[in-house]
Amino acid sequence: MADSGAKTETAGEALPLFYSRPEALNPARHGSLGLTARSDFSFARSAHAIPVVASEMPAAMRSYPIVFIGAAKAPVIITGLRQDENLFVDADGNWAGPHYIPAYVRRYPFILADDPKQPGRLTLCVDRASERVIDQLLAPFRDDKVLPFFSGNEATEATKQALAFCNQFQIDFRATREMVDKIDAHALFAPRQSKVTLEGGEVLNLTDFQVIDEAAFNKLSDEAFLDLRKSGALSLLYCHLASTNSWTSLVHQASLRKAEGAKSA
């Protein structure tokens, strides 16, 4: 299933976070497959940083710090204080309420990727490694309801909804990339590290990320500020700055995880 558009975050040799066997959906190859209807976020249990787009930052900033990583300065939410630790996903694959679940997570196991047969077009793919992707013949032996990908050669409503969601995410992803590039053009990024003290006195030093240099931002000329406003980047910028208050949310979540561990011990 294809759609037009620019390259996605799958561009490059490395596969995106969570994905290991993405395959372009088609009825000949996947006609008997479907997706279990239950929500299970176990795949995100070891993700301590997750990509986020500008349109969801007003919701995400209430629960997670938003920082920028890598040479591309990609915006991510911080979900853990240690490597391979997501404090918001429990042992049963549930996401801790009432915290916002990022679109990148809700999109999985679907993704848009470049179509090698049609340059310049994107095609809907599904990660065959996902435990939620099963053969419908196995459905009677499971408790889960299965939503088929195809009905004959036609995409089902579930597949159409997945395509629509991925299309919107791709639009938001490109818009966010343009905002970040605009902010970077004004030299507003600065490397930073954060020192977090957990209950019990343990101190963690978090490094290798960048933030908006608030002092540099406040010194912008009126012309530069207007340039950022016209680009739509101000909302992203302000959400990032406000999200610094959410480091305490991570500490609180870590204390809850520690308490849960003590109960089960």
Side-chain angles (χ1 to χ4, degrees):
M1 299 185 65
D3 192 26
S4 60
K7 288 184 179 295
T8 72
E9 76 269 25
T10 61
E13 296 182 1
L15 288 170
L17 177 68
F18 303 146
Y19 299 85
S20 60
R21 289 175 55 200
E23 296 177 358
L25 270 179
N26 68 73
R29 190 175 188 181
H30 307 105
S32 67
L33 301 181
L35 191 74
T36 58
R38 63 182 169 84
S39 294
D40 184 352
F41 302 108
S42 298
F43 62 88
R45 190 181 293 127
S46 62
H48 64 279
I50 297 174
V52 66
V53 293
S55 60
E56 58 183 338
M57 287 185 185
M61 70 179 188
R62 298 183 176 93
S63 295
Y64 319 99
I66 300 170
V67 301
F68 305 86
I69 62 173
K73 301 176 178 65
V76 298
I77 57 171
I78 301 299
T79 54
L81 296 172
R82 295 180 175 85
Q83 193 80 14
D84 301 326
E85 169 195 67
N86 186 338
L87 293 167
F88 296 86
V89 179
D90 65 20
D92 296 322
N94 300 308
W95 200 280
H99 300 286
Y100 176 77
I101 304 173
Y104 189 96
V105 170
R106 288 181 280 122
R107 178 184 63 167
Y108 186 81
F110 299 100
I111 191 172
L112 286 180
D114 297 313
D115 188 342
K117 297 181 181 179
Q118 302 182 68
R121 290 179 66 84
L122 305 175
T123 189
L124 182 65
C125 300
V126 67
D127 189 359
R128 287 289 281 109
S130 171
E131 294 183 356
R132 291 184 61 199
V133 178
I134 67 170
D135 194 305
Q136 296 178 68
L137 295 176
L138 299 178
F141 304 99
R142 301 171 62 109
D143 296 330
D144 304 316
K145 177 182 178 182
V146 177
L147 305 174
F149 293 142
F150 296 96
S151 178
N153 289 323
E154 298 296 322
T156 62
E157 187 60 31
T159 300
K160 292 177 181 177
Q161 289 178 6
L163 177 60
F165 190 93
C166 288
N167 276 333
Q168 186 59 54
F169 184 89
Q170 183 60 21
I171 291 171
D172 293 342
F173 175 82
R174 292 198 298 265
T176 302
R177 183 72 261 151
E178 291 172 0
M179 293 177 195
V180 168
D181 289 343
K182 178 65 70 173
I183 294 171
D184 198 21
H186 289 286
L188 293 182
F189 287 107
R192 194 75 84 239
Q193 65 179 21
S194 182
K195 181 178 292 185
V196 178
T197 303
L198 303 179
E199 289 185 6
E202 181 183 3
V203 177
L204 300 177
N205 290 301
L206 307 180
T207 60
D208 298 328
F209 64 87
Q210 296 191 60
V211 299
I212 300 296
D213 186 333
E214 193 168 0
F217 173 59
N218 290 331
K219 293 178 182 178
L220 283 178
S221 66
D222 291 346
E223 181 182 5
F225 184 87
L226 182 60
D227 184 45
L228 287 173
R229 183 177 70 80
K230 288 182 176 179
S231 72
L234 283 182
S235 176
L236 182 158
L237 195 151
Y238 285 132
C239 284
H240 156 70
L241 293 176
S243 78
T244 58
N245 295 319
S246 292
W247 286 106
T248 57
S249 175
L250 284 181
V251 175
H252 176 67
Q253 204 65 26
S255 66
L256 292 178
R257 179 65 61 87
K258 184 178 181 179
E260 290 170 358
K263 287 182 181 179
S264 60

